[in-house]
Amino acid sequence: MSNHKILGALAVMMAVGASCCVPVCAQQRMSLQSLYDLADQQNQRIKVSEAALKAAEEGVASAKSAMLPSVELSVQGSYTGNAFMMSRGFSTSGTTEYIVPGLGPQQVENGKQPTPHWGNSFTAQATQVIYAGGAIRSGIEMAKLGQRIAELDVEKNRQEVRFLLTGHYLDLYQLQNQLQVIAKNIELTEKVIAQMKARRAQGTVLKNDITRYELQRQSLLLAKTQVDDAQKIIRHQIATTIHLPEGENFQVEDLSYDDAALRHDEESLWQQTASDHNIDIRQASLASSLTEQKLRNTRAASLPSVAVVAENNLFGPYTSDLIPKDANVNAWFIGIGVKYNLSSLWKNKHDIRKAQHEHAEARERVLLAREGVENGVQASYTQLLTSSVEVHTQEKQVELADENYSVVRNRYANDLALLTDMLDASNTKLYAEMAMVNARIRMLYNYYKLKYLTHTL
């Protein structure tokens, strides 16, 4: 059934008696802020972004560890086979002259030499990079920027979830008001039907008139079912979003409405707030800084790296001499190593250019984000002003409709007006009241939309 038919049925009810209010069944009332708090704690989307933030925090710690010295320990056991001494002609016969320090030349028979078989090696190496062309510091800055972007992701998800809940909350608030109106008019319909049946028994009312009111009652019952089902859908969406227990039932609190408070800020203040707090702008700025650090990191690949290296090596047996010696030898050294990838002179230039273009693109994206937010704030603020005018217009229409209804009702009571005049006045009054409620909800929505665009929900 169309909304006009439902509103028409409601209007008839207003024509027959004074308004009364049916109390809503006692249910838990939940404020918008309480929904926000539950979402911050239980929303799955927020939990995912918080897990990503923890990973980004560990990424910063990992990047900082590149500044620490690198220490490597190596332990090795081995079995060494027999050594063979051969002449330059690869003959194992004859002798080879071998100079022994302190003894002079000695003759050693070619062939298999006594060889210690079991060997061991213990090596410790420490390396400290003291210059890497800025690659380490830029890596740390990139990790920090990634952490800040992850933090903004958490906050952005909070804002988006809150705005989603706000829309559901306003819808539920509107449906609750509609349900109260429908329930009130169902009760009035029952009273009118009872009165008309009594008058029918006296012969002053036609059966057709009673049938019309019974049809209107069915229309109201259908409208109540539709509103109840719509509330179930929205409550389920809210419960899914904030992980309420299955079947959780609640009523939303009445929203305070203050026209002046909603639009007290000038557009310039909203624009400034958006410029300072909008997460899209802040993330675009961080992304620009991130590409700048990537450019520095890419340039660092074309620079030499310098490191201090210290190593201690304990090994045995000693097999580097002509005749292996069954002994452990300990040797250590400390020095400075310089490493330079010469091919980076012709290979890395394309990577550098690519990073430069990406940085330029990121800067343009910052401007693009600012433009989009500025347009969104301007449009939403204009819509807020428009809805404010609409609210004032509807309030005036309600005032005029009430006056008109009062006059027509008095004339109808004195048999100076027709029933159709009364129905027209009732319809006008009902339409005006419904339009005023909808206008106020639209104004609230536009206000919360501004808070969402400025990310101050």
Side-chain angles (χ1 to χ4, degrees):
M1 177 173 290
S2 66
N3 291 334
H4 292 294
K5 291 182 179 179
I6 296 175
L7 292 176
L10 295 176
V12 173
M13 299 305 100
M14 296 176 60
V16 296
S19 63
C20 60
C21 190
V22 176
V24 180
C25 56
Q27 291 176 326
Q28 176 187 0
R29 288 195 170 269
M30 188 170 293
S31 67
L32 188 56
Q33 184 60 49
S34 63
L35 290 182
Y36 290 167
D37 294 339
L38 285 172
D40 290 345
Q41 299 171 8
Q42 300 177 175
N43 180 262
Q44 194 62 36
R45 183 175 179 180
I46 295 176
K47 288 182 178 180
V48 170
S49 59
E50 287 176 342
L53 173 59
K54 292 180 180 179
E57 291 172 349
E58 292 299 326
V60 174
S62 177
K64 289 182 177 179
S65 65
M67 300 185 67
L68 301 175
S70 176
V71 178
E72 296 182 4
L73 297 177
S74 176
V75 179
Q76 180 177 339
S78 61
Y79 178 84
T80 305
N82 291 322
F84 279 81
M85 186 179 296
M86 293 174 286
S87 67
R88 294 293 294 170
F90 299 99
S91 174
T92 58
S93 61
T95 60
T96 298
E97 187 177 85
Y98 172 54
I99 300 176
V100 179
L103 298 178
Q106 302 290 325
Q107 296 297 320
V108 179
E109 291 186 1
N110 293 333
K112 183 173 69 173
Q113 304 296 320
T115 305
H117 296 295
W118 298 103
N120 57 266
S121 175
F122 303 95
T123 304
Q125 184 184 72
T127 305
Q128 176 65 62
V129 178
I130 57 178
Y131 178 75
I136 295 178
R137 292 192 178 276
S138 63
I140 294 174
E141 289 301 318
M142 288 167 60
K144 289 181 178 179
L145 290 170
Q147 178 186 355
R148 292 170 61 187
I149 291 176
E151 290 172 350
L152 290 179
D153 278 337
V154 175
E155 183 59 31
K156 184 176 181 179
N157 285 328
R158 284 199 185 106
Q159 292 292 317
E160 291 180 351
V161 170
R162 288 185 175 190
F163 187 59
L164 175 65
L165 289 173
T166 300
H168 290 332
Y169 196 91
L170 291 176
D171 288 341
L172 198 56
Y173 181 65
Q174 186 176 25
L175 291 172
Q176 282 184 189
N177 290 337
Q178 291 178 1
L179 190 61
Q180 290 178 355
V181 173
I182 292 172
K184 175 189 67 176
N185 284 276
I186 289 175
E187 182 180 354
L188 289 176
T189 302
E190 298 288 351
K191 291 181 179 179
V192 171
I193 291 175
Q195 292 172 359
M196 294 188 72
K197 285 182 177 180
R199 295 178 64 184
R200 167 68 175 164
Q202 299 173 0
T204 58
V205 174
L206 298 176
K207 175 63 176 177
N208 183 52
D209 294 333
I210 298 177
T211 302
R212 288 178 58 190
Y213 278 100
E214 288 177 341
L215 290 173
Q216 291 166 359
R217 178 179 59 184
Q218 293 302 317
S219 298
L220 289 170
L221 291 174
L222 175 60
K224 179 178 181 298
T225 300
Q226 292 172 337
V227 172
D228 284 334
D229 291 342
Q231 285 192 100
K232 289 179 182 178
I233 293 173
I234 295 177
R235 284 198 181 96
H236 179 75
Q237 291 173 342
I238 293 176
T240 302
T241 302
I242 59 179
H243 287 221
L244 287 176
E246 185 67 24
E248 182 76 19
N249 197 5
F250 60 90
Q251 293 287 331
V252 299
E253 291 184 350
D254 292 338
L255 294 174
S256 59
Y257 175 82
D258 187 344
D259 187 359
L262 291 181
R263 58 184 180 87
H264 72 283
D265 289 335
E266 297 293 335
E267 180 185 350
S268 59
L269 295 178
W270 285 108
Q271 292 286 4
Q272 185 60 48
T273 303
S275 179
D276 295 338
H277 296 91
N278 183 270
I279 296 176
D280 292 329
I281 295 176
R282 293 159 66 187
Q283 284 189 325
S285 299
L286 289 175
S288 177
S289 299
L290 184 61
T291 56
E292 182 180 0
Q293 293 299 328
K294 286 182 178 178
L295 177 59
R296 293 179 180 177
N297 191 274
T298 305
R299 285 174 174 167
S302 298
L303 298 174
S305 61
V306 181
V308 175
V309 181
E311 181 176 319
N312 186 78
N313 191 9
L314 174 65
F315 65 94
Y318 184 75
T319 58
S320 299
D321 206 344
L322 185 62
I323 299 177
K325 296 178 174 59
D326 191 12
N328 286 321
V329 179
N330 187 77
W332 63 271
F333 72 88
I334 186 171
I336 296 179
V338 179
K339 182 179 179 180
Y340 181 67
N341 185 3
L342 188 62
S343 62
S344 65
L345 292 176
W346 58 86
K347 286 185 177 181
N348 201 39
K349 61 180 181 180
H350 299 292
D351 292 334
I352 293 175
R353 290 175 185 172
K354 179 176 179 290
Q356 289 173 336
H357 291 308
E358 289 176 345
H359 183 44
E361 177 191 359
R363 291 199 303 267
E364 295 298 329
R365 288 189 178 275
V366 175
L367 299 178
L368 181 62
R370 290 188 179 277
E371 288 179 3
V373 171
E374 192 273 338
N375 288 334
V377 170
Q378 190 274 337
S380 296
Y381 186 78
T382 302
Q383 291 169 355
L384 179 63
L385 296 181
T386 301
S387 59
S388 175
V389 174
E390 183 182 4
V391 167
H392 287 302
T393 301
Q394 296 300 335
E395 287 175 347
K396 185 62 178 178
Q397 288 184 356
V398 168
E399 180 182 347
L400 295 174
D402 286 340
E403 293 177 0
N404 178 65
Y405 178 77
S406 179
V407 171
V408 174
R409 184 180 60 183
N410 290 333
R411 293 182 63 192
Y412 180 77
N414 295 321
D415 295 327
L416 299 176
L418 299 176
L419 178 60
T420 54
D421 296 330
M422 188 64 184
L423 292 176
D424 288 341
S426 300
N427 279 328
T428 302
K429 176 178 171 61
L430 181 60
Y431 290 147
E433 290 177 346
M434 294 295 291
M436 183 182 67
V437 171
N438 292 335
R440 287 181 173 178
I441 291 179
R442 277 193 294 271
M443 187 172 184
L444 285 169
Y445 176 80
N446 289 328
Y447 172 72
Y448 282 112
K449 186 177 180 181
L450 268 175
K451 290 182 71 66
Y452 168 68
L453 289 173
T454 55
H455 287 155
T456 53
L457 278 175

